[in-house]
Amino acid sequence: MMSKKTVLLFALALGVNLTAQDKIELALQTLKEKYPQEKIHVLLNKKSYLAGENIWFKTFVFEGYSPSEISTTLFAELYDKNKTLIDKKLIPLFNGQGNGSFTLPESLKEDVYYIRTYTTWMTNFSEDFQPVKEIPVYNPFSPEKLDINSQSSWTAAVFPESGTFIDGINTKVAVRLQSKGSLPDHWGGYIADAAKPDEKIVSFKGFDENTGVFQMTPQSGRTYKLFIEDSKGNKQNIDLPAVSPSGMHLRVESKTDHIKYSLQSKNLSTPSTFYRVIGTINDQMVFKSMIRELSNEKVYTVPTEKLINGILQISIFDDRDQIVAQRMCFIKPDRLQILQPSLQELSLNEAPRALNSFKIAQNKNIPNYTVSVTDGNFQSSEEDNSLLSTLWLTGDIPSKISSPSQYFTKNHNSDALDAILMSEKWKRFEWRSVMTGAFPMIRNIPEPYISYKGKVSVSDQPAKNATLNLIFNTDKQGMNIYPVKTNDKGFFTLSGLIFENSINFHYQLNADSRETQVAKEKVQVIFQPNYAFVPYRKSLPESRYILTKRSSQDDIPAEVTRYITTKNSQKLINDKTISIQEIKIKGQKKDLTKKLNQELSSSLFRGTDETIFDFVNDENLSLGSANVLQWLDGRVAGLTVQNKAGTYTPLLRGAPTGIYLDEMPATADQLSYLSLSDIAMVKVMKGYFAGGYGGGGNGAIAIYTRRGGTKGRITNPDAPTQLKKISLKGFDQPAPFNTPDYSDGAFNGIPTDTRNVLYWNPDFAGSGDDSTIRFYNNDDAKSYHVIMMGFDKENGVPFYYNEVVK
């Protein structure tokens, strides 16, 4: 996996003159610079649900084959099959990753539901590339029940390589099956002359439920038929394309370290003086060549050592810039570049409710991991469409593919993947359109995180060029004053806001900014979000499930029975967890610093590797220094503070680190006016933390001032209540994922533990000192399905582990 810059350098290494840009190269350059496109992978905590349960999900947003830096906000929507919106969530993205949850209503009928995810930037392009994930939801009290549609017929289609079927040219042909329901696992067929259907010309077997391949040399004047039969005896006959007496054929073969291609032609009426071969990955050119004399025997080779894994599109243009042949293939299909770690210090115990653990090897280039551990007897959503298949296939190929994850497993069939790509076309852009300047119209520009536009009026007139003081309170951050300046029409913008749930603002117009004092009741501020959920225009995907009438004699499926037991047990687990937390809060005298940290810092500003200084409960800390950065110097391993001409610069492990005052970005100069006596807490976070701008990769120094409830606070508590108030909505906070801790007997009262999901952490900080994953078994699991995901952004390689261990 390489950066865009490296890919282009590879093109230069082939001797391509990229400075002499023609229409093709100009179109690609425009696409790369102005129209990059995103794709999303969605991981669910499990594959199906019961009404009343929570759906937890993790999202990965990519631009090409790297985490996207375009979007910082993701929209998630839950629909029923009639496209009625049930719920929607606003999710922050850090390093292209986000997580959230939906709570399914108890009254939800048993049926198929859908989760749609997208970014603002993605709404400028085809909805085909917005993932819509099918979710079966069970409810034994519904009058109808879900069944797999196993009776739906399948259809077949044929796709000659490069789209041409020419007399006398040996041609590889892909056969592709599609169905509204399930596809046959075993099937095959043969080719025959339509006039002699019993005489087989060539036979073949399907690679899998999606595709198969045969090879033949067509002859003019003959008509060919394909005869297919599956293992259940279902049959279908289809016509092959008419044999053309002339044309151009592109043959491609992708190997471990190179790609071979050749051009064969026959009876061309107006041969081109030359042919240009263009190889592209996404919207980037990775190689090009000029062929001035066609030879049916000539084979061209493109080395792939420096190319990334991904879909390569090879396009052949004639001297009039017309496409004469196209073909897609996968680069290095048998050498996937994946970081796949081993589980370290693996300690497994299959006894009921036993403690299990393992460690994740540390990697400084992977700030956080997604970790899921489930009962090994149950499938996860990754079994159908995995992070790898989204990244390398379905994120760019929107047509329906059954279990695309199979093409990127250890024992994958590269020929089957090649047949899939033979049957598809690249739809991110169309050559004819972009070469004539017909690019997408950009209507929606993503704002950084949450953005609001405001308007200030005085006596119904715009408050021009005025200063508005916004005084806001949150549960964790206390009171802060934020002055904003209006423009000549009374408007202002708040952007880059990162907060969960809601935030309350009081506001007051700065009287000094106007010639006369303005009566408070005549000042009005209106806020409008600079983001919007965009309605889905397409139809929802066809489901592989059908609804049938439920009979009173029907037994509840074992899986649903288990879900019911788990749901009841989970309620006890949640209640017990809350009870334990309440007991801990009441007994905080044993850990006052932890309590202060919980009170002052939000969940976005917590990490596994943090050093906390409690100025409230240890008054001696505030003695001896005038500047908090000067005070910190030498107190935390790896932290140094440079002093240049009176300006202090904090460095963590030799690199600059961020400064936050009450979780808002601050500068060292701002801290020079802050007395240590006004500080409640300082913490130094090393490595990743969610609240950092750009992801908080090198940690931060977070300083919290004294506020109501902390000792020494000097403030006028009545001041905010005298001002006008408004509430703004922030990001949606995921529901807590609670699991039992059987170590001390607190959860022994749970009668039956049938949890499928034993551990779920979509944001495990991998840079902390303790990288141990700990989880307790349910009552009957004998193996564990461990999934770990991340991305090494430095080297451009996905981190992926998906194994059953025992």
Side-chain angles (χ1 to χ4, degrees):
M1 191 74 65
M2 300 183 297
S3 66
K4 292 181 178 180
K5 181 178 179 181
T6 310
V7 172
L8 291 176
L9 285 174
F10 174 69
L12 289 170
L14 290 179
V16 178
N17 180 11
L18 293 180
T19 59
Q21 293 182 324
D22 55 17
K23 287 190 294 185
I24 297 173
E25 292 170 272
L26 284 172
L28 289 174
Q29 187 72 14
T30 301
L31 284 171
K32 183 179 80 73
E33 293 178 354
K34 296 183 178 181
Y35 305 97
Q37 296 193 45
E38 294 176 315
K39 55 191 171 189
I40 301 174
H41 178 67
V42 180
L43 169 70
L44 303 179
N45 67 308
K46 57 181 188 173
K47 201 169 184 179
S48 58
Y49 296 86
L50 189 71
E53 285 190 309
N54 287 324
I55 298 175
W56 281 276
F57 61 89
K58 175 66 182 279
T59 59
F60 296 82
V61 183
F62 295 98
E63 187 235 312
Y65 298 114
S66 299
S68 176
E69 298 178 355
I70 299 172
S71 298
T72 55
T73 299
L74 179 130
F75 301 86
E77 298 168 348
L78 178 65
Y79 291 92
D80 68 12
K81 67 178 181 183
N82 298 316
K83 219 167 77 169
T84 301
L85 182 64
I86 298 172
D87 199 1
K88 58 185 180 181
K89 301 293 182 180
L90 193 67
I91 310 296
L93 296 172
F94 303 104
N95 294 318
Q97 300 181 31
N99 68 91
S101 65
F102 287 107
T103 298
L104 298 173
E106 291 277 359
S107 59
L108 212 59
K109 292 182 179 180
E110 182 162 325
D111 208 339
V112 169
Y113 296 83
Y114 297 88
I115 292 179
R116 172 201 180 201
T117 52
Y118 61 97
T119 66
T120 296
W121 182 247
M122 291 173 71
T123 61
N124 295 300
F125 305 95
S126 171
E127 286 185 332
D128 290 345
F129 300 102
Q130 297 176 18
V132 179
K133 201 170 186 70
E134 179 184 76
I135 312 292
V137 176
Y138 298 101
N139 187 340
F141 299 104
S142 292
E144 295 179 305
K145 62 180 181 177
L146 283 174
D147 287 313
I148 292 288
N149 184 4
S150 59
Q151 302 302 317
S152 179
S153 61
W154 46 263
T155 61
V158 293
F159 301 88
E161 186 171 21
S162 78
T164 55
F165 201 52
I166 304 170
D167 174 47
I169 295 180
N170 188 264
T171 302
K172 185 189 296 184
V173 181
V175 182
R176 183 81 173 269
L177 300 190
Q178 294 283 5
S179 174
K180 293 181 180 180
S182 57
L183 290 168
D185 292 327
H186 302 286
W187 60 281
Y190 66 92
I191 310 302
D193 191 313
K196 301 177 181 179
D198 295 329
E199 296 182 11
K200 300 179 181 179
I201 298 174
V202 61
S203 299
F204 71 98
K205 291 184 178 180
F207 290 131
D208 51 43
E209 71 270 34
N210 291 305
T211 191
V213 163
F214 64 87
Q215 199 158 329
M216 65 175 293
T217 303
Q219 297 177 5
S220 289
R222 299 182 69 179
T223 301
Y224 299 97
K225 270 187 173 295
L226 169 63
F227 298 84
I228 306 177
E229 183 175 358
D230 66 19
S231 56
K232 295 181 179 180
N234 299 309
K235 300 179 180 180
Q236 188 175 122
N237 306 332
I238 59 174
D239 294 328
L240 267 62
V243 180
S244 175
S246 62
M248 174 84 69
H249 181 70
L250 171 63
R251 180 178 296 167
V252 177
E253 192 174 359
S254 182
K255 297 295 186 180
T256 300
D257 57 356
H258 66 277
I259 291 172
K260 296 192 300 184
Y261 70 92
S262 61
L263 284 175
Q264 293 178 285
S265 64
K266 184 173 184 179
N267 299 330
L268 295 179
S269 56
T270 55
S272 177
T273 56
F274 62 86
Y275 294 92
R276 280 186 292 183
V277 183
I278 304 293
T280 55
I281 300 177
N282 287 319
D283 53 5
Q284 299 175 72
M285 181 186 299
V286 292
F287 75 87
K288 74 173 183 178
S289 64
M290 187 83 72
I291 299 176
R292 297 192 177 276
E293 185 175 344
L294 289 178
S295 170
N296 289 348
E297 305 300 324
K298 180 69 174 178
V299 177
Y300 304 89
T301 301
V302 179
T304 57
E305 179 183 355
K306 296 183 179 180
L307 288 180
I308 62 174
N309 288 128
I311 297 174
L312 173 71
Q313 180 179 207
I314 299 177
S315 304
I316 312 298
F317 295 84
D318 63 16
D319 54 8
R320 298 178 298 279
D321 287 335
Q322 299 295 311
I323 290 280
V324 295
Q326 280 183 296
R327 168 80 148 87
M328 292 194 300
C329 67
F330 194 83
I331 300 170
K332 296 184 287 191
D334 294 320
R335 198 170 72 186
L336 301 178
Q337 295 168 306
I338 306 169
L339 289 177
Q340 188 174 18
S342 59
L343 304 184
Q344 298 181 345
E345 300 181 29
L346 184 63
S347 175
L348 298 181
N349 188 340
E350 64 181 32
R353 308 189 183 191
L355 177 64
N356 296 264
S357 65
F358 60 85
K359 278 193 172 184
I360 303 176
Q362 296 295 287
N363 186 327
K364 64 180 181 179
N365 296 324
I366 305 176
N368 64 309
Y369 304 86
T370 295
V371 184
S372 168
V373 181
T374 58
D375 187 325
N377 289 325
F378 298 89
Q379 288 190 333
S380 77
S381 64
E382 283 293 289
E383 303 311 300
D384 180 31
N385 189 25
S386 67
L387 173 72
L388 302 181
S389 57
T390 296
L391 180 66
W392 288 326
L393 182 62
T394 59
D396 297 307
I397 304 297
S399 65
K400 185 178 179 180
I401 302 173
S402 177
S403 301
S405 62
Q406 65 184 301
Y407 301 117
F408 305 98
T409 58
K410 288 181 179 178
N411 300 316
H412 66 272
N413 187 331
S414 297
D415 291 332
L417 174 59
D418 189 59
I420 289 284
L421 294 176
M422 280 176 56
S423 66
E424 294 285 353
K425 289 186 177 180
W426 186 257
K427 296 180 180 178
R428 286 289 189 180
F429 68 86
E430 199 274 327
W431 277 115
R432 186 182 302 276
S433 297
V434 298
M435 288 172 63
T436 56
F439 293 98
M441 182 176 293
I442 302 301
R443 297 182 175 89
N444 302 315
I445 304 296
E447 296 284 343
Y449 294 102
I450 290 179
S451 177
Y452 279 90
K453 186 176 183 179
K455 182 178 181 181
V456 183
S457 301
V458 178
S459 301
D460 297 327
Q461 297 298 316
K464 303 177 181 179
N465 304 314
T467 299
L468 183 74
N469 291 324
L470 299 176
I471 305 168
F472 60 94
N473 285 275
T474 64
D475 293 338
K476 302 297 183 182
Q477 297 177 8
M479 187 177 74
N480 293 270
I481 299 177
Y482 188 78
V484 294
K485 189 80 173 178
T486 65
N487 62 16
D488 57 3
K489 295 183 179 179
F491 290 101
F492 66 92
T493 300
L494 296 176
S495 62
L497 302 177
I498 305 175
F499 62 96
E500 292 176 328
N501 299 325
S502 63
I503 188 169
N504 294 323
F505 280 90
H506 294 83
Y507 60 86
Q508 184 180 50
L509 199 64
N510 191 339
D512 295 336
S513 68
R514 303 183 63 79
E515 297 179 1
T516 59
Q517 180 73 20
V518 180
K520 292 188 178 86
E521 62 272 11
K522 294 184 179 180
V523 178
Q524 184 181 25
V525 181
I526 299 174
F527 283 93
Q528 182 177 354
N530 266 350
Y531 64 87
F533 286 83
V534 178
Y536 191 55
R537 298 185 300 272
K538 285 190 62 180
S539 298
L540 292 170
E542 292 182 332
S543 174
R544 56 179 176 154
Y545 292 88
I546 56 174
L547 283 173
T548 59
K549 187 175 181 179
R550 190 188 302 274
S551 167
S552 59
Q553 306 302 317
D554 289 341
D555 292 329
I556 299 176
E559 181 183 26
V560 178
T561 300
R562 189 179 181 93
Y563 281 4
I564 294 171
T565 304
T566 300
K567 180 183 172 184
N568 294 332
S569 300
Q570 191 64 50
K571 186 178 185 305
L572 296 175
I573 293 170
N574 292 341
D575 291 345
K576 192 65 180 178
T577 300
I578 293 172
S579 176
I580 292 172
Q581 290 172 346
E582 289 175 347
I583 292 172
K584 287 182 178 179
I585 291 174
K586 292 178 181 178
Q588 280 297 326
K589 289 183 179 180
K590 297 180 181 179
D591 195 356
L592 294 176
T593 298
K594 180 178 179 180
K595 176 183 177 182
L596 185 68
N597 186 28
Q598 291 177 338
E599 289 178 345
L600 298 183
S601 66
S602 68
S603 60
L604 299 177
F605 277 75
R606 293 178 191 165
T608 58
D609 190 2
E610 57 183 23
T611 302
I612 300 174
F613 299 97
D614 182 351
F615 286 71
V616 172
N617 299 294
D618 188 352
E619 296 181 347
N620 293 326
L621 291 180
S622 60
L623 301 177
S625 296
N627 184 282
V628 64
L629 292 180
Q630 180 185 11
W631 182 90
L632 278 172
D633 193 21
R635 293 179 183 264
V636 179
L639 174 67
T640 58
V641 180
Q642 294 181 348
N643 182 2
K644 292 185 179 180
T647 299
Y648 295 96
T649 303
L651 305 174
L652 262 179
R653 302 185 184 97
T657 190
I659 303 172
Y660 293 82
L661 182 61
D662 290 327
E663 300 191 354
M664 299 295 288
T667 64
D669 290 339
Q670 289 175 278
L671 301 182
S672 63
Y673 302 98
L674 182 65
S675 169
L676 292 185
S677 62
D678 292 328
I679 294 176
M681 182 180 73
V682 175
K683 63 178 179 177
V684 178
M685 294 175 286
K686 298 178 181 178
Y688 172 83
F689 72 105
Y693 282 68
N698 194 40
I701 297 172
I703 301 163
Y704 297 84
T705 58
R706 294 178 183 264
R707 57 197 65 168
T710 57
K711 186 177 179 181
R713 174 71 170 174
I714 302 174
T715 185
N716 177 10
D718 296 326
T721 62
Q722 300 170 3
L723 306 177
K724 293 187 176 182
K725 178 182 175 181
I726 194 168
S727 180
L728 300 182
K729 186 184 183 307
F731 290 111
D732 291 289
Q733 186 176 26
F737 187 87
N738 297 320
T739 56
D741 181 351
Y742 289 119
S743 62
D744 58 3
F747 290 88
N748 287 349
I750 297 172
T752 307
D753 187 346
T754 55
R755 293 170 297 129
N756 288 353
V757 186
L758 306 176
Y759 183 91
W760 170 265
N761 190 339
D763 200 18
F764 182 83
S767 57
D769 292 334
D770 186 5
S771 61
T772 303
I773 302 295
R774 299 177 180 87
F775 63 93
Y776 286 89
N777 191 13
N778 58 25
D779 288 343
D780 55 7
K782 302 301 181 184
S783 61
Y784 306 106
H785 191 168
V786 179
I787 295 175
M788 295 187 292
M789 301 180 186
F791 204 90
D792 184 339
K793 195 172 181 180
E794 181 71 21
N795 297 302
V797 179
F799 172 94
Y800 193 75
Y801 184 94
N802 186 354
E803 301 286 345
V804 174
V805 297
K806 58 176 66 177

